[in-house]
């Protein structure tokens, strides 16, 4: 690894983990499209045996992501959900997990539809007031799962507060940092044990790759994750790793613009007569703004809003009229996207659960891209007209 952890974020985004290719001097890490590596005698090799276990392109990316999260160890997976799957496989039947109740739909699905069947029990609680977490911890609790900002309600969870409670009870804390990215928030610095990313979103940043990652400085946990990564085998291919390495080089610049555009759009929506509520942690009146300003460097480009006419039909009318805010699942790419959580990303969460967290039928989620913000505002104006 050529660069130290002491560099600032933008320098790390460009340099950390990558070094000129030892074979040719190529500045950019090559796509090592190989499944296996020559051994000069049985067991004698250059540290690479088989590409499920190690691949140089993936290794450069894993080191880069670890550096961005100020972690000792990084691991990449074939998707964000494969990364979640790997963390859950460190648990045993009978173990309990406490999770935020306002959560990515796919995380809720893998928890309740896959791992419940293997005897792991999940509790979904409102962590807006972090002290309530303590009441739910039992001697079976092994993992606390936090997503912040939450998806799609943009609630903020106090990571340091959760870490203190986790440490006091010897429970691991994992933070899904997909929405914030390491540019906005570094959970390990706040006391978390492991960070998870859907790399698919901001880290890759161009809506052309599906990938996940974990980062930790806990050596025991890293050994378990590394074992599972190889033993279960949900690894990404070298071509995708190359694309993500390329995406990361502009992560800080993209995030700056996502934040600027996000702020302008959140403030525009707030004054629009057809809009009911706007959910964005940068507002002073956001219930957890104080914590957001402590644990995040800025507020990001994810915004949800509800309409005064609170029906799915009213939301559909707006979504159909968008020209730039393309209607699609996913988020975090350079282009702006829109979504309807109740019928798209969060359809796998029962309506009763959605209502509990305030995910109303008219709620629209925006992933604000890095286009010229004047054009984005014009698009919102015509769609809401
Ligand atoms: C997309 C997403 C995931 C799942 O990641 P995939 O790469 O789609 O498997 C997990 N958490 C959050 C917050 C996400 O947005």
């Amino acid at each position: 690894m050529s660069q130290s952890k002491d560099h600032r974020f933008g320098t790390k985004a460009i340099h950390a983990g990558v070094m000129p290719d030892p074979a040719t001097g190529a500045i950019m890490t090559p796509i090592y499209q190989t499944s296996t590596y020559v051994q000069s005698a049985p067991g004698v090799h250059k540290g690479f045996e088989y590409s499920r276990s190690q691949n140089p392109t993936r290794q450069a990316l894993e080191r880069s992501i670890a550096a961005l999260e100020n972690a000792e160890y990084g691991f990449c997976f074939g998707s964000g959900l494969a990364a979640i799957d790997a963390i859950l496989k460190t648990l045993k039947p009978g173990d309990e997990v406490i999770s935020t109740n306002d959560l990515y739909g796919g995380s809720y699905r893998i928890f309740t539809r896959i791992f419940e069947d293997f005897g792991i029990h999940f509790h979904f609680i409102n962590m807006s007031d972090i002290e309530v977490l303590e009441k739910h911890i039992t001697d079976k609790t092994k993992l606390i799962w936090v997503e912040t900002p939450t998806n799609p309600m943009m609630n903020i969870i106090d990571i340091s507060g959760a870490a203190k409670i986790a440490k006091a009870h010897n429970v691991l804390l994992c933070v899904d940092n997909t929405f914030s990215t390491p540019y906005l928030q570094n959970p390990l610095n706040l006391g978390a044990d492991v960070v998870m990313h859907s790399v698919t979103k901001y880290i890759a940043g161009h809506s052309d790759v599906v990938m996940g990652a974990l980062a930790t400085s806990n050596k025991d946990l890293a050994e378990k994750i590394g074992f599972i990564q190889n033993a279960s085998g949900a690894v990404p291919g070298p071509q995708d790793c190359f694309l993500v390495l390329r995406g990361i080089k502009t992560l800080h610049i993209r995030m700056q613009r996502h934040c600027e555009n996000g702020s302008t759009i959140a403030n525009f929506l707030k004054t629009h007569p057809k809009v009911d509520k706007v959910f964005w942690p940068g507002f002073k009146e956001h219930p957890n703004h104080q914590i957001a300003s402590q644990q995040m460097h800025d507020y990001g480009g994810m915004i949800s809003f509800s309409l005064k006419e609170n029906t799915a039909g009213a939301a559909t009318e707006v979504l159909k009229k968008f020209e730039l805010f393309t209607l699609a699942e996913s988020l975090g790419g350079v282009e702006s996207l829109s979504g309807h959580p109740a019928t798209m990303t969060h359809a796998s969460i029962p309506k009763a659960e959605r209502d509990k967290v305030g995910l109303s039928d008219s709620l629209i989620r925006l992933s604000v891209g890095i286009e010229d913000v004047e054009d984005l505002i014009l698009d919102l104006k015509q769609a809401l007209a």
Side-chain angles (χ1 to χ4, degrees):
M1 214 185 320
S2 53
Q3 310 300 324
S4 83
K5 284 201 205 116
D6 302 331
H7 283 130
R8 289 170 182 78
F9 191 87
T11 309
K12 286 198 288 191
I14 292 169
H15 294 287
V18 297
M19 56 181 180
D21 179 43
T24 62
I27 294 289
M28 289 304 139
T29 307
I31 303 167
Y32 279 92
Q33 193 76 50
T34 185
S35 61
T36 191
Y37 309 84
V38 64
Q39 306 199 1
S40 55
V44 182
H45 52 74
K46 298 178 174 170
F48 298 95
E49 296 152 280
Y50 185 63
S51 276
R52 170 161 36 70
S53 315
Q54 316 93 1
N55 176 280
T57 319
R58 192 178 93 214
Q59 187 179 72
L61 176 60
E62 289 176 333
R63 288 178 174 173
S64 168
I65 291 175
L68 296 180
E69 284 291 10
N70 301 322
E72 295 291 330
Y73 312 95
F75 302 91
C76 288
F77 295 88
S79 69
L81 280 166
I84 297 175
D85 181 85
I87 279 283
L88 294 172
K89 282 177 177 160
T90 65
L91 303 176
K92 300 228 155 32
D95 288 352
E96 294 185 8
V97 179
I98 304 175
S99 166
T100 35
N101 63 347
D102 164 20
L103 167 88
Y104 177 70
S107 307
Y108 182 83
R109 183 176 55 201
I110 193 172
F111 291 174
T112 56
R113 304 273 305 276
I114 306 276
F115 283 94
E116 274 284 350
D117 286 350
F118 289 97
I120 295 164
H121 302 298
F122 295 85
H123 302 277
F124 299 95
I125 67 168
N126 181 342
M127 294 191 202
S128 294
D129 170 13
I130 203 66
E131 300 306 323
V132 301
L133 176 57
E134 189 133 38
K135 284 193 281 192
H136 295 266
I137 294 184
T138 71
D139 55 357
K140 299 218 172 81
T141 309
K142 293 285 150 45
L143 179 69
I144 295 166
W145 188 272
V146 164
E147 201 181 300
T148 179
T150 63
N151 177 13
M153 300 313 296
M154 306 306 294
N155 290 316
I156 300 293
I157 314 293
D158 176 359
I159 298 175
S160 308
K164 279 194 199 103
I165 296 168
K167 286 224 159 49
H169 294 271
N170 204 18
V171 173
L172 290 179
L173 173 64
C174 180
V175 176
D176 179 340
N177 207 28
T178 302
F179 268 39
S180 292
T181 80
Y183 174 84
L184 292 180
Q185 172 174 288
N186 296 118
L188 298 186
N189 293 25
L190 300 165
D193 299 286
V194 54
V195 177
M196 174 260 150
H197 280 285
S198 170
V199 171
T200 314
K201 315 294 169 52
Y202 287 104
I203 291 185
H206 296 73
S207 304
D208 51 10
V209 171
V210 172
M211 196 187 293
L214 298 173
T216 183
S217 293
N218 176 326
K219 190 159 183 283
D220 287 347
L221 187 61
E223 272 167 19
K224 285 187 198 164
I225 294 168
F227 176 81
I228 291 164
Q229 183 194 40
N230 182 49
S232 285
V235 291
Q239 172 95 30
D240 282 356
C241 292
F242 173 87
L243 286 170
V244 175
L245 277 167
R246 172 184 251 226
I248 283 177
K249 291 186 197 301
T250 55
L251 178 60
H252 52 304
I253 304 293
R254 287 187 280 114
M255 288 310 294
Q256 271 172 14
R257 184 67 166 258
H258 283 297
C259 291
E260 280 168 27
N261 285 0
S263 169
T264 307
I265 285 173
N267 282 291
F268 163 77
L269 287 171
K270 198 159 83 167
T271 59
H272 197 283
K274 294 218 173 132
V275 172
D276 185 20
K277 296 198 184 88
V278 184
F279 303 91
W280 182 66
F283 290 137
K284 295 234 163 16
E285 63 273 21
H286 182 288
N288 302 116
H289 177 73
Q290 183 59 30
I291 291 163
S293 67
Q294 282 164 16
Q295 70 188 18
M296 299 173 75
H297 304 305
D298 205 337
Y299 305 104
M302 294 303 299
I303 301 168
S304 295
F305 65 98
S306 58
L307 301 173
K308 289 207 173 119
E309 188 186 338
N310 187 19
T311 63
T316 303
E317 283 309 303
V318 174
L319 290 162
K320 283 201 311 209
K321 279 201 237 153
F322 277 140
E323 282 163 14
L324 287 172
F325 283 94
T326 311
L327 178 62
E329 304 248 356
S330 202
L331 60 109
V334 290
E335 72 290 330
S336 291
L337 296 179
S338 59
H340 186 233
T343 55
M344 295 169 67
T345 44
H346 291 63
S348 56
I349 296 180
K351 179 162 166 58
E353 293 294 318
R354 293 202 304 265
D355 287 342
K356 264 192 229 163
V357 301
L359 197 169
S360 63
D361 286 347
S362 73
L363 195 81
I364 292 174
R365 191 188 77 179
L366 301 180
S367 170
V368 177
I370 64 170
E371 298 95 336
D372 287 299
V373 74
E374 295 82 356
D375 292 325
L376 296 178
I377 298 270
L378 283 176
D379 195 30
L380 285 163
K381 276 190 182 155
Q382 66 79 21
L384 285 162

